[in-house]
Amino acid sequence: MATTADALVTMPRTTPSLTRVYGKEIRYELTKLARNRAFTLSTTGFPVIFYLMFASMNAHSEFHGQLYSRYLLAGYACFGAMGSALFGIGAGLAHERSHGWLELKRASPMPAGAYLLAKLVASMCFAVAITLLLASLGTMISGHIISLFELGKLLLVVVGGVIPFASLGLLLGLLMAPNAAPGIINLIYLPLSFCGGLWLPVEMLPSWLQHVSHVLPSYYFSRLALGSLGYNTVSAMLSWSVLAGYTLALLALCAYVFHRSESRA
Amino acid sequence: MAAQAIEVTAAKPRHGTASVGAAGASASSLNPATAEPVATVRNLVKQYGKHRALDNVSFELHRGEIVALLGPNGAGKTTAIRTLLGLTRQDAGEALLFGKSPREREGRLRTGAMLQVGRMPESLKVCEHIDLFRSYFPTPLPAAEVLAIAGLTEIAGKLFGQLSGGQKQRMLFALALCGDPDLLFLDEPTLGMDIEARRALWDQVRMLAERGKTILLTTHYLPEAEALATRVLVLQAGRIVAEGTPAELKGRVQMSTVRCRTSIAEAVLRGLPGVTEVTAGERVTLLTTEPEALLRALLPLDAQLSGLEVTGTAFEDAFLALTSQPAAPAL
């Protein structure tokens, strides 16, 4: 049968440049999300509005020996990063999967990795943009609250912290019907944010809720963000390990769900 | 001829594979240089729970052919295409693209697919979607050519979400063309298109076939199969119940329709030569395999008979006759 195929080849075919495929996939994923007003308004709007409200209410008060608006900056940067990963990947994939778009892409020679990486990188870009926006708003409210070095460390945490929530978004995207997606995502996103100490310091939560928060990825994500601003909290090593553990477990679940649905297809 | 038609429809399971062999042989004798099939499906079976979507389906696609998979909804047309695209795994049998598994990248690089996509990302422009799909192929068709073939040149800068239904279909057609494929799958390609756009797409498909491309299309729209296909595979309940050129399929079902105003009782009409179906109405409609004998018998019976009209087989009647037989029980 190999000779059959050879006889039919009319022109030599080589592999297309992988960097070009990945580059275009990322560029158009970003373009697509940036033009989607429902996505940009909700993912940047909520962190910005909440941060403006709570930071300006406590513009010059202190918490743990530092400006409260600094503490909140760490939390709301995480809040923005989680939102862009959960909505960008979760809701996006739910739509593309159930309306046949993903199937068309899978029938094409697109490398599967390009599709997934583009979604991850796009979420990271939005997370970075939201963090930069919040940092400049915080500076406007409370004066100089963050050094460039600290901002660099915070951005690294935000970029890395997107990964476990992107995995969660992937899993939700594989399971959810597109109509139910925003509701389901909010049901997970908002409690995770509240209990993880993204809106209010964990210390202000009732003690039973504090126990809950200690198993949540959002808690360890926000500890890393606080750590990058010099707060004394859970060790970075432990936090990254927990986030890596969540990522691996979620990706394993994704693989299981994907293969199950494929065998039924 | 009539006897042959009955044999085809009655002996579906055995006949399906037998006629495939015959058609394959005739295609290769037409074009001996490229006798090897572009795609092959052998004894394909696909089961969804209790529902058998494909039941021992076999066919081959040859270079330059336009093959239509014709059948009512749920007959297994889309499942056949999805199997050939490697999107679903068959329970038994074999599917080959260019002699290899459809899951190999090699086949995908030479294949274009237009599937039924409800929605695609709406905030990307037509030209952006095409630019992205072209990047998947090492030797894509130039973007300007893709736009021209699909008739999208004037709306290349529009967002997908702003397109009309027919324009969206053309956008999907354009994506299928990006890699300059040797084999093109078109799943219900003209759904939602107006007549003008439909004819324009048919013209493009014919031109692609003339350039040596192979096209497999599914449709439940009979005029599409009749106008476009060089070969039609009639699929019903997961089986190929008939195969041939549109003209051959019409020939197999030597049915004529006789309409008239008459007072003859329906029971009597049913007993007349070759009558298979009687439909009452302002005029009675009779379907017959022997129109001449029927008329000879009919006219003496009713001196008042009026409004007589005799028409030959329409493709639609042939199709209905081929698919109206109840399917043989599944294994």
Side-chain angles (χ1 to χ4, degrees):
Chain A
M1 270 316 199
T3 50
T4 306
D6 293 343
L8 284 165
V9 172
T10 47
M11 62 178 89
R13 307 246 181 184
T14 49
T15 317
S17 151
L18 275 184
T19 41
R20 200 171 110 240
V21 180
Y22 277 75
K24 292 222 171 181
E25 197 73 40
I26 290 169
R27 189 179 119 206
Y28 286 126
E29 180 69 23
L30 270 171
T31 312
K32 185 180 85 184
L33 286 178
R35 287 193 193 139
N36 181 345
R37 245 169 261 152
F39 171 78
T40 50
L41 284 180
S42 62
T43 49
T44 54
F46 286 114
V48 163
I49 290 167
F50 284 176
Y51 183 65
L52 280 178
M53 273 168 23
F54 291 109
S56 45
M57 266 159 44
N58 309 286
H60 301 289
S61 55
E62 293 201 345
F63 185 76
H64 280 296
Q66 298 194 34
L67 274 175
Y68 192 52
S69 49
R70 229 170 104 80
Y71 187 95
L72 287 178
L73 174 62
Y76 283 103
C78 296
F79 183 57
M82 279 171 59
S84 55
L86 291 174
F87 283 103
I89 298 179
L93 179 61
H95 273 282
E96 296 179 3
R97 181 179 51 87
S98 36
H99 294 300
W101 178 240
L102 181 59
E103 183 144 87
L104 187 69
K105 286 233 189 197
R106 287 180 56 213
S108 81
M110 173 197 73
Y115 180 77
L116 295 173
L117 189 76
K119 289 209 171 331
L120 176 65
V121 171
S123 306
M124 288 173 168
C125 291
F126 273 93
V128 165
I130 293 166
T131 306
L132 290 175
L133 186 61
L134 293 175
S136 38
L137 288 172
T139 308
M140 280 159 58
I141 293 167
S142 310
H144 181 71
I145 59 163
I146 186 167
S147 73
L148 275 182
F149 179 62
E150 286 171 329
L151 184 62
K153 283 198 292 179
L154 178 61
L155 288 175
L156 280 181
V157 166
V158 160
V159 165
V162 161
I163 296 171
F165 298 98
S167 315
L168 179 58
L170 189 64
L171 180 65
L172 293 174
L174 288 171
L175 292 169
M176 291 180 303
N179 294 340
I184 294 175
I185 291 174
N186 274 322
L187 275 177
I188 294 169
Y189 177 42
L190 301 180
L192 264 186
S193 305
F194 179 72
C195 302
L198 270 49
W199 296 345
L200 295 170
V202 176
E203 295 85 339
M204 293 185 182
L205 302 179
S207 67
W208 66 270
L209 210 52
Q210 290 189 30
H211 290 296
V212 174
S213 81
H214 288 171
V215 298
L216 298 178
S218 48
Y219 173 78
Y220 294 94
F221 186 19
S222 58
R223 294 316 97 178
L224 284 165
L226 288 169
S228 73
L229 298 186
Y231 287 86
N232 199 6
T233 173
V234 183
S235 88
M237 189 66 186
L238 173 66
S239 298
W240 282 123
S241 308
V242 173
L243 292 183
Y246 266 106
T247 305
L248 290 178
L250 286 163
L251 289 179
L253 264 175
C254 290
Y256 168 76
V257 169
F258 182 76
H259 285 296
R260 193 192 56 174
S261 70
E262 211 194 19
S263 64
R264 285 183 193 166
Chain B
M1 271 313 247
Q4 192 193 353
I6 289 161
E7 190 192 50
V8 168
T9 48
K12 264 171 281 168
R14 280 183 295 119
H15 223 84
T17 40
S19 61
V20 167
S26 68
S28 26
S29 62
L30 281 175
N31 206 342
T34 52
E36 287 84 4
V38 173
T40 309
V41 161
R42 249 180 248 135
N43 307 110
L44 210 59
V45 174
K46 177 70 190 177
Q47 190 94 26
Y48 288 110
K50 281 187 178 169
H51 172 63
R52 185 159 277 204
L54 292 177
D55 191 0
N56 216 15
V57 168
S58 301
F59 61 84
E60 284 180 349
L61 303 178
H62 296 268
R63 191 167 181 272
E65 270 194 307
I66 305 176
V67 177
L69 276 176
L70 182 66
N73 288 332
K77 299 172 303 226
T78 302
T79 309
I81 284 198
R82 292 183 73 245
T83 313
L84 271 172
L85 283 169
L87 292 170
T88 182
R89 232 181 263 274
Q90 64 270 29
D91 293 307
E94 195 177 24
L96 295 172
L97 280 190
F98 306 101
K100 298 201 170 143
S101 155
R103 292 184 175 248
E104 305 259 334
R105 234 177 89 81
E106 234 178 285
R108 287 199 177 152
L109 287 173
R110 300 176 61 188
T111 306
M114 177 176 177
L115 302 177
Q116 295 177 51
V117 176
R119 273 167 78 178
M120 50 195 266
E122 297 192 336
S123 52
L124 284 183
K125 293 174 185 168
V126 168
C127 57
E128 292 171 334
H129 273 301
I130 289 172
D131 184 40
L132 179 59
F133 257 70
R134 286 180 65 252
S135 76
Y136 302 152
F137 299 90
T139 49
L141 213 57
E145 208 175 323
V146 174
L147 287 168
I149 295 177
L152 294 169
T153 310
E154 268 138 55
I155 50 169
K158 269 199 181 183
L159 294 180
F160 180 78
Q162 299 171 330
L163 303 184
S164 70
Q167 289 171 332
K168 287 180 180 173
Q169 282 294 102
R170 271 146 61 194
M171 169 87 250
L172 287 167
F173 181 56
L175 294 184
L177 297 173
C178 283
D180 194 16
D182 296 326
L183 172 60
L184 201 55
F185 292 106
L186 307 173
D187 195 4
E188 302 280 354
T190 57
L191 214 66
M193 281 191 184
D194 58 29
I195 291 179
E196 211 176 313
R198 181 174 280 156
R199 285 182 195 276
L201 187 127
W202 290 352
D203 286 340
Q204 292 302 336
V205 170
R206 283 190 202 106
M207 269 167 56
L208 290 168
E210 273 164 28
R211 282 168 47 198
K213 315 282 189 194
T214 308
I215 291 113
L216 178 67
L217 71 124
T218 72
T219 184
H220 65 263
Y221 180 60
L222 293 155
E224 183 152 286
E226 190 177 12
L228 202 51
T230 51
R231 192 151 61 93
V232 177
L233 306 172
V234 180
L235 209 60
Q236 194 216 350
R239 292 181 181 170
I240 293 179
V241 294
E243 169 172 8
T245 64
E248 279 169 5
L249 288 184
K250 276 200 272 188
R252 277 192 203 169
V253 186
Q254 285 291 307
M255 285 285 197
S256 293
T257 308
V258 175
R259 288 194 183 83
C260 60
R261 267 183 285 273
T262 177
S263 52
I264 305 170
E266 204 179 305
V268 179
L269 290 172
R270 283 193 190 280
L272 293 177
V275 171
T276 56
E277 208 180 305
V278 178
T279 318
E282 192 253 329
R283 285 196 296 174
V284 179
T285 305
L286 305 168
L287 271 183
T288 176
T289 52
E290 299 164 62
E292 296 83 2
L294 170 66
L295 289 181
R296 276 187 208 105
L298 183 66
L299 292 171
L301 286 178
D302 183 2
Q304 254 65 56
L305 186 140
S306 64
L308 179 67
E309 185 190 323
V310 183
T311 45
T313 323
F315 190 62
E316 188 170 342
D317 296 325
F319 172 71
L320 288 174
L322 289 168
T323 56
S324 62
Q325 312 288 327
L331 296 171

